Amino acid sequence: MGWVTLVGTLSGAVLGVGSSMLIEGIRARRDRGNRLEEVRREAYVKFLTALTETETALQTLALSRPTPVDPGDVITAYRSQRILPTFYELLMVAPPVVSEAAENAYQGMRGIRDGITTLATVEQGSDAWQEVHLPYRDAVRRLRQVMRDSIQGAAPTGAR
């Protein structure tokens, strides 16, 4: 009779400790997932902000100077918004679909940067400007969609 009590007590203790460890493991995994989601959101916002502010800085520069704009001035405006560090930060935490869309948006921004140094005129409606700006705009639209899908846990959509 003494062994049955001892075995029952040990079994209960093992089950109690095991279930506590299992619950703690699940809770820790959930907390890591929540933290990753929070870090992703912060990286997404920082990158979208850097894209927007870089575009604004480049357009302000292009509209305030005769074109083509001096490459040194363009690079200074481009780097002033820390787009490259925020891009790298995003790549470290984003899923592949978001990383790919971010790469396309970043390359579109580089196209704007390079266009400002080579275009004879930078007017919003000009064909030359549209050729440089539209791919960037479409890439940012796609980036926002895949970021939204990533945060909401949805499968990436084909929206552009």
Side-chain angles (χ1 to χ4, degrees):
M1 214 36 146
W3 285 102
V4 172
T5 304
L6 182 59
V7 168
T9 302
L10 285 175
S11 297
V14 167
L15 283 173
V17 169
S19 64
S20 293
M21 290 175 64
L22 178 64
I23 289 170
E24 282 303 313
I26 291 169
R27 185 176 298 135
R29 188 174 312 138
R30 184 189 66 224
D31 290 347
R32 278 192 305 272
N34 289 343
R35 177 66 183 136
L36 177 59
E37 185 177 313
E38 182 181 320
V39 167
R40 280 184 176 161
R41 282 183 185 182
E42 289 173 13
Y44 293 176
V45 168
K46 283 173 67 175
F47 185 62
L48 289 173
T49 300
L51 281 171
T52 302
E53 291 176 352
T54 301
E55 179 186 20
T56 299
L58 290 174
Q59 287 187 10
T60 300
L61 179 66
L63 295 172
S64 67
R65 307 263 173 94
T67 54
V69 179
D70 177 63
D73 293 339
V74 172
I75 292 297
T76 299
Y78 182 79
R79 290 181 179 165
S80 70
Q81 303 306 318
R82 300 185 39 82
I83 190 169
L84 191 58
T86 59
F87 175 58
Y88 289 153
E89 182 179 337
L90 176 87
L91 292 180
M92 291 185 65
V93 297
V97 67
V98 174
S99 295
E100 181 181 327
E103 174 72 31
N104 291 337
Y106 177 73
Q107 291 304 324
M109 178 57 65
R110 288 184 63 166
I112 290 174
R113 179 198 70 188
D114 297 344
I116 291 172
T117 64
T118 59
L119 294 176
T121 182
V122 180
E123 294 176 11
Q124 296 294 343
S126 74
D127 290 340
W129 175 250
Q130 294 302 322
E131 188 177 316
V132 171
H133 192 258
L134 290 180
Y136 165 74
R137 190 187 70 192
D138 292 342
V140 170
R141 184 176 293 130
R142 171 76 177 140
L143 175 61
R144 286 192 313 257
Q145 183 62 52
V146 297
M147 284 177 168
R148 191 175 304 113
D149 291 347
S150 168
I151 289 170
Q152 294 172 349
T157 64
R160 295 200 183 249

